[in-house]
Amino acid sequence: MMTDARTSGSLLAMSGLRSGYGGKPVLQGVELTVEQGTIAAVIGRNGVGKSTLMKTLIGLLPAMDGAVTFEGRDISGLKPHQRAHLGIGYVPQGREVFPRMTVEENLKVGEMIHGAKKPADYDRVYDFFPILRERRKQRAGTMSGGQQQQLAIGRVLVGSPSLILLDEPSEGIQPSIVQEIARIVVELNRSMGITIVFVEQNLEMIRAMARHCYVMDKGRIVTEVAPEQLNDRETVRRYLAV
Amino acid sequence: MLAKANKLLNGPQTIGRGPAFWTGFVIVVLAAAAYPSFTDGWTVGNTVYFFNWIFMALGLSLIWGYGGALSFGQTAFFGLAGYAYGILTLNYGSDYGFTILAVVIAVAISAVFAAVLGYFLFFGRISGVFLGIVTLSVTLVFERFMAQTAGPEWRIGDARLNGFNGMTGMPPLTIPWFGGDIVLFPDVQLYYVILALLVVVYLGLRILVNSRFGNVLVAIRENPERAEMLGYDVRKYQLIAFIIGSSLAGLSGVLYTSWGQYITPSSMGLTAAALPVVWVAVGGRSDLTATLVGTFAVLSVFQTLTIYGSQYALVVMGALLVVVVLFAPQGLIPGIAGLSRRLRGAR
Amino acid sequence: MEILSALFAFLYQAGDAFAFLVLAACGLAIIFGMMGVINLAHGEFIMCGAYVTVFAVRAGLPLPLGIACGTLAAGLVGILLELLVVRHLYNRPLDTIVATWGISLIATQGVLILLGSTMRGVGTPLSSFTFGDYSYSQYRLVLMAAAVVVLVLLYLIFNKTRFGVHARATIQVPHMAEALGVNTRLIYCLTFGLGSALAGLTGGLYAPTMTMVPSMGATFIMEAFVTVVVGGADVFLGTAPAAAVLGVIKAAMTSWQGQLAGQISMLIAVIIVIRVLPNGISGWLLRERG
Amino acid sequence: QSPVKIGVLEDQSGEFAAATLPKVHGIELATEEINKAGGIAGRKIELVVYDTQSDNTRYQEMMRRVLQRDKVDVVFAGFSSASREAYRPIVNQFNGLAFYNNQYEGGVCDANMIVTGAVPEQQFSTLIPWMMEKYGKKVYTIAADYNFGQISAEWVRQIVKENGGEMVGEEFIPLGVSQFSQTIQNIQRVKPDILMTLLVGTAQASYYEQAAAANLKVPMGSSVNVGQGYEHKRFTPPSLANMHVTTNYIEEVDTPESKAFISKWRAKYPNEPYINQEAENSYHAIYLYKQMVERAGSTDREKIRGVIAKGDVCVDAPEGKVCIDPKSQHASHTIYLAQVGADHSITFPKVWNDIKPYWLGDAGCDLTKSDPSAQYTPSNPPPKG
Amino acid sequence: MTALLQTIDLNKRFGGLRVTNNVNFELDEGEVHCLIGPNGAGKSTLFRLFLGEHSPSSGRILYAGEDITHLKPFQRIRKGISVKFQVPGIFAALSVRQNLTIALQHHLEGASLDEEIARLLEFLRLTASADMQAASLSHGQKQWLEIGMAISLKPRLLLLDEPTAGMSPDETYETGEMVRALNADGVTVLAVEHDMAFVRQIAQRVTVLHFGQIFAQGTVAEITANDAVAEIYFGHVDHDD
Ligand SMILES: Nc1ncnc2c1ncn2[C@@H]1O[C@H](COP(=O)(O)OP(=O)(O)OP(=O)(O)O)[C@@H](O)[C@H]1O
Ligand SMILES: Nc1ncnc2c1ncn2[C@@H]1O[C@H](COP(=O)(O)OP(=O)(O)OP(=O)(O)O)[C@@H](O)[C@H]1O
Ligand SMILES: [Mg+2]
Ligand SMILES: [Mg+2]
């Protein structure tokens, strides 16, 4: 567990966050606070800016306006690798594994989270995703879609991040492993206090994992719903219907 | 019919559309037509010389800019057609406008060779840098081979290949005319012929790239797998583009040869092979207009530098290239277009 | 003895061609093969290494130290260029053709203006040895050994070190490497610097055997590109076998039919190899490995 | 009075710059001297200089420019034979007059051209018999694989045969080749008495260093080294040791005329790496032209050719007396045999005076009668008749 | 014979790995068939074999009774097969409109082409983004665009590899309705999916692939009730919503 002072405070906070592509903002002023040690889901329709938010948090997109604070420190000006060194892990939408490197080498890159200050824990990752152990020497580009997704998740776990940003982790994964991932995430959160922010469409997974669920629309967080409420078709319609 | 032509001329694959652009186009063509009356003989002949190269650049724009296949071998076709013209005219003379026929045959020869080479390349699924290196190798094989044909045994009919020193003595273009052929030395008459040819080729290519064919070509550039999965025979389209582009290189070669009555293996060497790539990349490869204007601009700027820059010319040229690439990522012409749009927008 | 002498002669020639191809290509294998930067100024890095080596030796340093200076100088120039120019072009590899062509023009002509059209060389060290009917230069054996050492070192650097893994990750999916904590700017810079330094090393090694002129790099560039491309995407599984294949073909054809045949046969071998293996030799070696 | 305009197209950058820069200087030096002394028939000389960048297409562009726009009276142009062939059609088209001041493979029979460089019959008919007498009869040639090398090799072959020698090998090297291990081995195999090296360009010059490193010590002969590329100055001794070159001039020539010339040169260009034969050719070519114009009373090409046809256009050049042969419009020369020592010092074991460019005239080229505007070789001579 | 697509002893090996293992699969004309199975079971590989992107190590593929094993991919497409890949394959630098044009120009031109594009854009909810570069669409939008291109070909057989990945439940539902509508028009559909709600919505038959072999086949109900399938694929909790 982390120190007490931190457990109670907010780990990650966004205020008035705006960012986008080619001068056109997609995020229109995101306000969100994520508590240390929580699991927060972001949901919303296609194209509202969920992935844009994740990219802005890790720094792949520069913020046009507003601020991101992490552990009480403004990180808006930091480069992605500097943010990673503070312990933020990012699993992008669409996997983005290093295709011409082996599975093992892909995992190796993940060691740099925390600036490689923490010992890398391969065994844990291999235990979570046995296929990765089996295919250690296969080139990542030739793995199946779901296998790549597992690799992308495993890759950040190697570096023991203190915050993980997950963009649609269940995409392309078979149901039993979706459940497994949900279980793993909750377990990591519980045993190591890792904070998780994830974007997801799979309501079941949200229900299984999330403690908070934020709805995004047109580049803003418009409301919070309780994860249990997602059982309710009407709620879902309201926030996610097209 | 007219609507269709209009659509093809103004399609999504080319920049510049609408009345403003075409008014500009007409003005430029008219200005070009009037130009010889305002300038001296050297400038006219020299402008023709620049025009000669543009066909090759346009061809590369088609193959590379639109089709996504970087050919480093434009000069192979340039040289092939140039030599073919020389051999034909040295053997059969230039009477009765034979030179025009020789142009046609020479370009056809380069088209046939492009078809054979292109078949070998595209049907062998060679792509990317591999394509670049194979085409470069082909042109270098030509160069090395032609360079050693100095001996008297290397002759075809009356035409001696003459090794590295190059082939000379071929006649300039002639047009059969009542009361004697018109000989097109690099002068006003040749200027108009080439200008007309350039306008025709430019418009023709514009129509081509905005047609269904052009759509498929850019699709292949973007994602050949997807294009194939939409039912297009990727290899065939690439081959056709390659043949057309290479024939245009052949046309440049013939025009160059007849212009200076000279063709040499070094026209197919490493430096020569890199030049079209540089012109096209600097101008803006994925647009015909940009390529045309860019090539002309690069040629004139480089020549001007050579004239006035003394030994610093090459240094300045190099610096210009670096600067253009850094500050106009889309190429010079789209870069300028974008800048002016932004300036207008800012106002 | 006749046969032994002829056999040694052939091996020596093939080894000589191999060394030339490997050393010409190794810097490019990184800059082009790995980073995708089509570096037409590769020859000028070689020239830089050669010139600095010659200056250093003339200033009194022993040749190996001179070569080290040449390597270092080319590496530093590479890093500088990376910072100023190449850095901005990673996502536009084709534009690197133009930029590096420009750099090459500046370098060649700049050196011509500054240092004159030619310079006195340093002379080949070591002496000759005789085997059978022929006498050979010992220094050429050093070149062959250097080629092998460079290959082994590169293999180790890129496959066994953290830097190597990070470099490959950066080159394949840069933004992801960055997001995982790799300082990609630094990696790019160092990788480019390494490639340039290797070119400089080649220049330094060959400086004692060649005439020193600003355009000397041009004699390497064609061979370098051909070797890298025939090798294919994987630098180390590619460059070495490609150099071996091309080296043997070139040596055999040269001794049988002369230099022109050697050159042309090498180019034709390139065309054929690529036709048969459209992804280069390493693409073929890796095809089934998954 | 309007000046006499002389166009100068030489490669001041690129591959050939090393050998060509002194040519420009030679022209400038002569021009300065003549202008100081009152010019050509009272008219000052004005130079129009362009850098052709060792690029044939630049010759085409710039030759048209000097003739058509700058309207020069005469052009001094070209280093490589290819560049000469590139501009020759243009000179013919505009009926201009061009000086080619370069040692070359010979054979250009063209009324628009005046050649002041040495040609094979001048260099080989002197060098080869001398060397065969001294070293032996077995000759091996390595030559650049293009016109210059091939035609020169043809000359070597012919002269070796005429003098009762034997060719034991011939090898042609493509331009740009810089690695010679195989060639060195081939030479060792046949053990020639004499090695003729007709290599061209900076890449091929690497041969000497590599041959020396492999301990190949056959006496060498050449028509291009030393005189053109001053390799004995650029290479580390003893890589060029035992090289023999026939040249019409190099800065080591130890005559009072030569010494005076060198001191004038050094005063103007103290940093010149070397004053080679092409530099001297270019220098005295200006004086030849001056004499022609003054005697013709005009810069008109036909009038000038009328003067040449008299057969007595001669100047006293730093090398000695130089005259223009009316049939071929080539120059006669003093030929120095330069021998390179182990420390790369030069000695001159023999000097031939007034060697004529006889071959073209003997073979049937007579520009006083007709102008074929062609280039011939021994195996492709002018048509008889 | 009603089989539109049939494989006979189909095998595919990558090095030592047998990814497709003696598959004898039949797809009936007119049905909507779902292919499910664990990650790495070989579903996408099977698709690539159908399309000719991979050539089989052994075995044959028949389409409408004709042996297409050795046809080139584009030739198969021309016979009426169309596909949406797992990883969206679009023409990134071209506008959304051009992407669709390229797919539609096979059988349409002029005004009717423009009309059809407008209709499709509306349908795909991409009207507002019509002139944007396809590269700048969000992940879900790219999926839509690719589906649009696939159906533009008016295929007889439509292959969909994870068409709803990254879509919200509602969008998934709509995609399902679209598939059913196409099927009603006579298009045969073969879809790979991990989203069981979607499978339930559209599938008339389901095939489970495991280690490159057909593991089970049947209706959705049969498959979900199959314990062995639950073991390898669904996991323990079954659910309903
Ligand atoms: N590279 C880009 N360039 C320009 N615009 C972009 C780019 N990427 C995304 N956009 C635009 O930004 C908006 C938000 O995209 P984003 O990827 O954040 O959506 P999302 O909420 O993650 O959707 P999905 O659920 O489909 O992944 C979209 O309208 C998209 O068109
Ligand atoms: N080129 C290749 N080399 C080696 N193995 C490969 C190659 N391509 C695929 N594989 C392996 O084949 C197996 C099947 O992959 P495939 O992509 O068909 O799976 P899938 O069923 O589509 O899985 P998913 O649901 O995860 O998309 C995987 O184990 C994969 O790693
Ligand atoms: Mg997204
Ligand atoms: Mg799959």
Side-chain angles (χ1 to χ4, degrees):
Chain A
M1 287 291 274
M2 298 273 159
T3 59
D4 284 347
R6 285 188 182 170
T7 347
S8 52
S10 80
L11 180 72
L12 181 71
M14 294 143 244
S15 64
L17 192 60
R18 290 156 61 85
S19 81
Y21 308 89
K24 274 188 251 150
V26 171
L27 299 187
Q28 312 273 6
V30 173
E31 306 280 344
L32 187 65
T33 306
V34 179
E35 302 291 305
Q36 160 75 42
T38 193
I39 304 181
V42 177
I43 62 173
R45 283 183 272 270
N46 280 156
V48 295
K50 304 182 297 293
S51 300
T52 306
L53 175 63
M54 300 300 247
K55 285 186 225 164
T56 312
L57 290 179
I58 190 65
L60 288 173
L61 278 179
M64 295 168 174
D65 203 358
V68 182
T69 46
F70 178 71
E71 294 177 333
R73 156 175 181 203
D74 186 350
I75 58 167
S76 317
L78 296 188
K79 301 233 169 56
H81 73 267
Q82 292 167 320
R83 301 190 197 200
H85 289 183
L86 296 177
I88 307 180
Y90 167 64
V91 181
Q93 184 167 26
R95 302 155 192 125
E96 314 233 30
V97 295
F98 305 111
R100 292 189 302 281
M101 285 162 64
T102 63
V103 168
E104 198 168 35
E105 288 167 339
N106 265 270
L107 294 177
K108 245 200 181 106
V109 182
E111 286 182 10
M112 284 310 285
I113 295 172
H114 274 309
K117 285 188 281 286
K118 300 206 169 174
D121 192 352
Y122 286 89
D123 280 334
R124 196 180 59 193
V125 173
Y126 284 142
D127 290 342
F128 286 153
F129 305 113
I131 187 76
L132 299 184
R133 175 178 282 133
E134 197 182 304
R135 301 287 175 81
R136 272 200 309 272
K137 300 286 179 206
Q138 183 168 334
R139 299 218 284 168
T142 66
M143 301 279 277
S144 85
Q147 292 166 345
Q148 289 184 18
Q149 183 70 24
Q150 295 173 36
L151 176 57
I153 298 173
R155 192 171 54 181
V156 303
L157 295 185
V158 165
S160 311
S162 42
L163 167 68
I164 304 183
L165 307 171
L166 287 169
D167 199 346
E168 308 213 9
S170 79
E171 188 182 309
I173 303 244
Q174 70 184 81
S176 60
I177 297 188
V178 171
Q179 293 157 17
E180 179 68 9
I181 292 175
R183 200 185 56 70
I184 291 168
V185 168
V186 172
E187 149 92 18
L188 287 171
N189 170 261
R190 237 181 250 138
S191 67
M192 314 186 57
I194 299 178
T195 309
I196 285 131
V197 177
F198 72 112
V199 171
E200 196 39 85
Q201 308 275 14
N202 184 328
L203 301 182
E204 216 184 301
M205 191 168 187
I206 300 174
R207 256 174 295 160
M209 286 165 61
R211 264 177 251 152
H212 299 276
C213 179
Y214 302 97
V215 180
M216 187 163 195
D217 197 18
K218 301 208 179 98
R220 284 199 177 82
I221 300 293
V222 287
T223 184
E224 180 179 351
V225 293
E228 310 79 56
Q229 262 182 293
L230 292 176
N231 279 329
D232 173 17
R233 264 196 187 279
E234 258 321 293
T235 319
V236 173
R237 265 282 125 80
R238 182 136 43 90
Y239 297 120
L240 297 179
V242 284
Chain B
M1 198 47 218
L2 214 62
K4 190 167 173 196
N6 178 39
K7 192 164 173 190
L8 288 172
L9 284 170
N10 286 310
Q13 255 80 259
T14 44
I15 53 174
R17 66 194 58 152
F21 175 79
W22 290 106
T23 315
F25 176 78
V26 170
I27 291 173
V28 169
V29 173
L30 288 179
Y35 186 52
S37 357
F38 297 101
T39 185
D40 61 24
W42 178 75
T43 313
V44 171
N46 195 52
T47 311
V48 176
Y49 171 82
F50 290 164
F51 286 170
N52 288 342
W53 300 102
I54 291 178
F55 298 97
M56 170 150 75
L58 287 174
L60 185 61
S61 171
L62 184 73
I63 301 174
W64 179 29
Y66 288 88
L70 173 54
S71 169
F72 247 103
Q74 284 293 76
T75 43
F77 304 98
F78 179 95
L80 186 67
Y83 273 101
Y85 176 85
I87 292 165
L88 286 166
T89 50
L90 284 175
N91 278 301
Y92 301 107
S94 62
D95 297 341
Y96 314 112
F98 178 76
T99 52
I100 304 285
L101 186 63
V103 171
V104 174
I105 297 175
V107 172
I109 288 174
S110 59
V112 169
F113 179 65
V116 174
L117 179 65
Y119 180 83
F120 175 89
L121 293 174
F122 296 113
F123 281 67
R125 296 277 173 181
I126 295 171
S127 61
V129 291
F130 297 104
L131 196 76
I133 292 290
V134 171
T135 46
L136 181 61
S137 300
V138 168
T139 188
L140 291 181
V141 167
F142 275 20
E143 183 220 21
R144 305 263 147 105
F145 179 80
M146 292 309 293
Q148 53 87 51
T149 57
E153 68 276 22
W154 294 104
R155 60 164 71 234
I156 298 178
D158 293 337
R160 281 195 56 200
L161 299 181
N162 204 26
F164 191 81
N165 283 7
M167 216 162 138
T168 51
M170 59 286 278
L173 289 179
T174 50
I175 296 179
W177 201 254
F178 314 103
D181 293 354
I182 300 176
V183 181
L184 297 176
F185 278 114
D187 209 335
V188 179
Q189 283 149 329
L190 182 64
Y191 177 89
Y192 284 117
V193 172
I194 304 294
L195 179 64
L197 198 57
L198 192 59
V199 171
V200 168
V201 167
Y202 169 74
L203 292 178
L205 283 176
R206 237 184 124 103
I207 289 175
L208 183 74
V209 298
N210 285 315
S211 68
R212 292 169 43 130
F213 177 85
N215 283 339
V216 178
L217 207 57
V218 291
I220 291 170
R221 174 189 72 202
E222 290 303 313
N223 190 340
E225 193 191 25
R226 185 75 248 180
E228 172 132 30
M229 287 304 154
L230 291 175
Y232 296 107
D233 187 351
V234 168
R235 306 166 305 175
K236 196 179 85 189
Y237 283 87
Q238 287 185 313
L239 177 59
I240 293 172
F242 187 72
I243 294 174
I244 297 172
S246 305
S247 309
L248 285 173
L251 181 60
S252 272
V254 179
L255 296 178
Y256 168 80
T257 307
S258 64
W259 179 92
Q261 298 165 266
Y262 172 69
I263 179 79
T264 128
S266 58
S267 303
M268 301 185 278
L270 189 60
T271 312
L275 278 177
V277 176
V278 170
W279 302 330
V280 173
V282 169
R285 65 174 169 279
S286 47
D287 184 77
L288 292 169
T289 318
T291 299
L292 191 154
V293 179
T295 304
F296 193 84
V298 174
L299 284 167
S300 356
V301 168
F302 278 18
Q303 191 187 64
T304 312
L305 279 171
T306 308
I307 294 171
Y308 299 107
S310 71
Q311 53 177 344
Y312 294 96
L314 289 170
V315 176
V316 180
M317 278 179 211
L320 273 183
L321 291 178
V322 175
V323 167
V324 166
V325 169
L326 286 182
F327 296 101
Q330 303 300 315
L332 196 56
I333 307 309
I336 293 171
L339 191 68
S340 68
R341 220 176 304 129
R342 242 177 294 144
L343 288 180
R344 251 181 290 137
R347 253 187 267 138
Chain C
M1 195 58 212
E2 268 291 288
I3 295 178
L4 218 58
S5 159
L7 187 70
F8 180 82
F10 179 74
L11 283 179
Y12 178 88
Q13 296 306 339
D16 190 55
F18 173 79
F20 183 74
L21 292 174
V22 166
L23 290 172
C26 61
L28 202 68
I30 293 169
I31 291 179
F32 175 47
M34 284 195 58
M35 309 181 74
V37 173
I38 301 179
N39 181 19
L40 293 181
H42 179 64
E44 280 58 52
F45 284 120
I46 294 179
M47 181 262 291
C48 169
Y51 266 67
V52 173
T53 302
V54 169
F55 277 125
V57 171
R58 289 239 223 95
L61 289 185
L63 183 64
L65 274 184
I67 293 176
C69 289
T71 310
L72 204 67
L76 290 177
V77 172
I79 287 177
L80 193 70
L81 277 179
E82 202 278 342
L83 292 173
L84 292 178
V85 180
V86 180
R87 153 147 311 180
H88 309 281
L89 305 176
Y90 287 121
N91 43 3
R92 311 186 259 141
L94 294 173
D95 286 346
T96 57
I97 299 178
V98 179
T100 54
W101 168 273
I103 292 169
S104 150
L105 287 180
I106 298 173
T108 321
Q109 187 65 15
V111 169
L112 181 84
I113 294 170
L114 292 177
L115 302 176
S117 51
T118 173
M119 198 171 82
R120 191 172 173 158
V122 292
T124 313
L126 305 176
S127 62
S128 61
F129 66 98
T130 310
F131 188 98
D133 303 340
Y134 307 109
S135 63
Y136 303 92
S137 160
Q138 287 174 353
Y139 187 70
R140 296 249 142 201
L141 296 181
V142 173
L143 294 179
M144 293 177 214
V148 174
V149 170
V150 164
L151 279 175
V152 171
L153 277 183
L154 283 183
Y155 178 82
L156 293 179
I157 290 179
F158 280 94
N159 287 285
K160 302 291 171 205
T161 67
R162 177 180 266 171
F163 167 78
V165 170
H166 289 179
R168 286 160 61 211
T170 300
I171 283 141
Q172 290 177 29
V173 193
H175 63 270
M176 231 13 252
E178 175 82 24
L180 289 170
V182 176
N183 187 347
T184 51
R185 284 177 159 245
L186 185 67
I187 293 276
Y188 271 133
C189 197
L190 291 178
T191 311
F192 197 86
L194 178 63
S196 320
L198 283 172
L201 173 68
T202 304
L205 285 168
Y206 277 90
T209 75
M210 289 178 65
T211 21
M212 304 297 297
V213 287
S215 58
M216 68 184 294
T219 61
F220 291 85
I221 192 147
M222 184 59 211
E223 267 87 351
F225 269 100
V226 159
T227 308
V228 172
V229 170
V230 167
D234 189 295
V235 180
F236 312 104
L237 284 173
T239 308
V245 169
L246 296 178
V248 168
I249 290 175
K250 193 175 165 197
M253 289 303 291
T254 308
S255 77
W256 184 40
Q257 288 287 311
Q259 290 265 15
L260 178 76
Q263 293 239 312
I264 289 192
S265 68
M266 189 178 78
L267 292 172
I268 290 176
V270 168
I271 298 172
I272 292 171
V273 170
I274 294 180
R275 175 62 223 260
V276 178
L277 312 173
N279 294 311
I281 291 178
S282 68
W284 176 69
L285 286 174
L286 291 170
R287 129 207 76 130
E288 298 280 70
R289 279 232 326 231
Chain D
Q1 254 189 340
S2 68
V4 175
K5 277 175 120 181
I6 301 182
V8 179
L9 309 184
E10 296 286 1
D11 301 322
Q12 298 170 60
S13 39
E15 166 84 11
F16 302 129
T20 332
L21 278 165
K23 292 178 75 178
V24 181
H25 296 161
I27 292 169
E28 286 170 354
L29 178 62
T31 302
E32 191 182 277
E33 289 169 9
I34 291 172
N35 280 348
K36 253 193 210 138
I40 299 179
R43 296 165 67 188
K44 295 264 185 230
I45 301 175
E46 182 187 323
L47 298 180
V48 182
V49 188
Y50 296 121
D51 176 8
T52 37
Q53 301 171 340
S54 307
D55 178 347
N56 295 338
T57 59
R58 291 280 180 235
Y59 277 94
Q60 295 177 288
E61 297 167 26
M62 296 306 151
M63 184 55 84
R64 290 187 73 257
R65 188 177 168 97
V66 288
L67 293 177
Q68 233 185 329
R69 170 179 264 210
D70 301 323
K71 303 207 176 359
V72 299
D73 297 295
V74 65
V75 195
F76 283 37
F79 177 76
S80 75
S81 290
S83 65
R84 183 197 62 238
E85 292 306 295
Y87 72 65
R88 217 156 51 81
I90 295 167
V91 177
N92 285 324
Q93 185 199 329
F94 292 102
N95 236 325
L97 180 63
F99 273 70
Y100 180 57
N101 306 314
N102 225 78
Q103 177 274 345
Y104 83 117
E105 70 276 8
V108 169
C109 179
D110 185 332
N112 302 74
M113 300 289 302
I114 295 171
V115 179
T116 64
V119 288
E121 63 264 35
Q122 294 171 317
Q123 296 183 283
F124 292 129
S125 63
T126 47
L127 174 70
I128 292 174
W130 188 90
M131 283 187 81
M132 282 171 56
E133 179 128 318
K134 179 139 188 225
Y135 298 112
K137 304 260 175 200
K138 279 161 50 184
V139 180
Y140 193 106
T141 301
I142 55 174
D145 198 3
Y146 83 117
N147 303 51
F148 170 79
Q150 295 195 347
I151 295 171
S152 298
E154 200 176 320
W155 274 98
V156 171
R157 214 178 299 142
Q158 195 173 315
I159 293 175
V160 166
K161 209 165 95 202
E162 282 166 14
N163 290 277
E166 179 200 358
M167 291 302 301
V168 293
E170 220 172 45
E171 189 170 335
F172 293 97
I173 319 280
L175 287 177
V177 165
S178 67
Q179 302 301 311
F180 290 92
S181 297
Q182 184 68 50
T183 304
I184 291 165
Q185 194 176 308
N186 295 346
I187 298 168
Q188 292 186 359
R189 186 159 47 223
V190 293
K191 302 189 175 65
D193 301 321
I194 298 171
L195 176 67
M196 294 300 296
T197 62
L198 307 168
L199 301 173
V200 174
T202 47
Q204 293 193 347
S206 301
Y207 166 81
Y208 302 100
E209 189 62 59
Q210 293 171 21
N215 202 23
L216 184 65
K217 287 192 169 137
V218 185
M220 297 182 280
S222 174
S223 62
V224 270
N225 294 126
V226 179
Q228 196 169 67
Y230 50 102
E231 288 79 358
H232 60 299
K233 294 280 183 188
R234 286 158 48 203
F235 299 175
T236 321
S239 54
L240 214 67
N242 226 358
M243 166 64 84
H244 304 74
V245 186
T246 35
T247 174
N248 59 307
Y249 184 78
I250 44 176
E251 69 175 34
E252 284 87 351
V253 167
D254 200 13
T255 60
E257 294 81 6
S258 168
K259 285 202 167 133
F261 173 63
I262 303 256
S263 65
K264 282 190 292 189
W265 192 296
R266 292 275 170 222
K268 188 163 163 64
Y269 302 104
N271 294 324
E272 194 73 72
Y274 194 71
I275 303 163
N276 62 8
Q277 61 179 352
E278 322 305 3
E280 192 257 5
N281 289 336
S282 302
Y283 173 83
H284 75 236
I286 296 275
Y287 279 97
L288 281 168
Y289 182 66
K290 171 175 188 281
Q291 187 186 116
M292 293 172 197
V293 173
E294 283 175 345
R295 285 172 58 187
S298 154
T299 56
D300 179 76
R301 187 181 70 117
E302 284 316 307
K303 295 208 177 114
I304 285 179
R305 292 192 55 228
V307 174
I308 294 173
K310 298 208 171 79
D312 59 352
V313 176
C314 298
V315 294
D316 287 316
E319 67 181 76
K321 192 168 169 185
V322 175
C323 302
I324 298 294
D325 166 43
K327 281 184 174 175
S328 63
Q329 299 186 172
H330 281 49
S332 67
H333 285 291
T334 309
I335 297 292
Y336 297 85
L337 193 148
Q339 182 171 22
V340 183
D343 58 350
H344 282 194
S345 62
I346 299 280
T347 50
F348 297 101
K350 189 155 169 78
V351 177
W352 293 266
N353 284 314
D354 194 24
I355 299 290
K356 301 246 163 14
Y358 58 83
W359 178 75
L360 263 177
D362 291 356
C365 161
D366 190 349
L367 291 170
T368 57
K369 301 211 167 70
S370 69
D371 174 17
S373 292
Q375 186 179 9
Y376 301 111
T377 66
S379 57
N380 178 45
K384 295 284 172 210
Chain E
M1 268 298 292
T2 50
L4 180 60
L5 187 71
Q6 186 183 2
T7 70
I8 300 171
D9 294 336
L10 198 63
N11 280 294
K12 177 71 192 173
R13 277 185 295 271
F14 289 110
L17 198 65
R18 251 170 189 265
V19 176
T20 305
N21 198 349
N22 263 334
V23 170
N24 287 292
F25 173 78
E26 279 190 23
L27 179 69
D28 292 339
E29 173 101 60
E31 70 171 331
V32 178
H33 195 125
C34 280
L35 192 59
I36 65 173
N39 292 131
K43 305 178 294 295
S44 301
T45 305
L46 200 56
F47 266 33
R48 290 187 181 272
L49 288 167
F50 292 157
L51 288 161
E53 288 263 288
H54 288 328
S55 55
S57 307
S58 69
R60 294 193 299 145
I61 303 169
L62 306 185
Y63 173 77
E66 182 193 348
D67 189 334
I68 59 167
T69 319
H70 300 294
L71 290 190
K72 298 261 179 285
F74 72 92
Q75 292 169 320
R76 304 185 194 203
I77 303 293
R78 294 218 184 129
K79 291 191 179 295
I81 306 179
S82 175
V83 63
K84 180 231 158 269
F85 285 116
Q86 184 165 5
V87 178
I90 49 172
F91 305 118
L94 306 185
S95 69
V96 171
R97 188 188 301 282
Q98 262 178 293
N99 269 272
L100 292 174
T101 308
I102 289 158
L104 284 167
Q105 68 177 12
H106 274 297
H107 48 89
L108 290 178
E109 60 179 328
S112 47
L113 176 69
D114 295 342
E115 254 166 53
E116 178 64 12
I117 290 179
R119 200 188 65 75
L120 264 174
L121 284 171
E122 192 63 32
F123 175 73
L124 302 170
R125 268 176 274 108
L126 289 170
T127 310
S129 328
D131 294 308
M132 262 166 67
Q133 274 198 351
S136 59
L137 294 178
S138 83
H139 187 70
Q141 291 168 325
K142 285 180 187 155
Q143 299 263 78
W144 278 105
L145 177 59
E146 204 192 6
I147 294 175
M149 289 205 274
I151 60 178
S152 291
L153 295 184
K154 299 213 185 307
R156 182 170 168 194
L157 168 60
L158 180 61
L159 304 176
L160 299 171
D161 196 350
E162 307 203 12
T164 73
M167 287 188 188
S168 67
D170 250 73
E171 291 165 333
T172 304
Y173 177 77
E174 288 211 5
T175 310
E177 288 309 294
M178 180 196 78
V179 168
R180 285 163 59 137
L182 284 171
N183 180 245
D185 287 345
V187 180
T188 309
V189 178
L190 177 63
V192 170
E193 252 308 337
H194 290 299
D195 184 336
M196 285 313 290
F198 182 73
V199 172
R200 236 176 254 124
Q201 182 187 356
I202 63 166
Q204 292 150 15
R205 257 194 329 152
V206 177
T207 295
V208 183
L209 210 62
H210 186 38
F211 288 129
Q213 278 175 318
I214 294 182
F215 184 78
Q217 214 160 24
T219 62
V220 183
E222 287 163 10
I223 294 296
T224 37
N226 185 328
D227 283 346
V229 175
E231 175 73 20
I232 60 158
Y233 186 63
F234 295 124
H236 5 282
V237 252
D238 205 355
H239 47 78
D240 51 79
D241 56 327

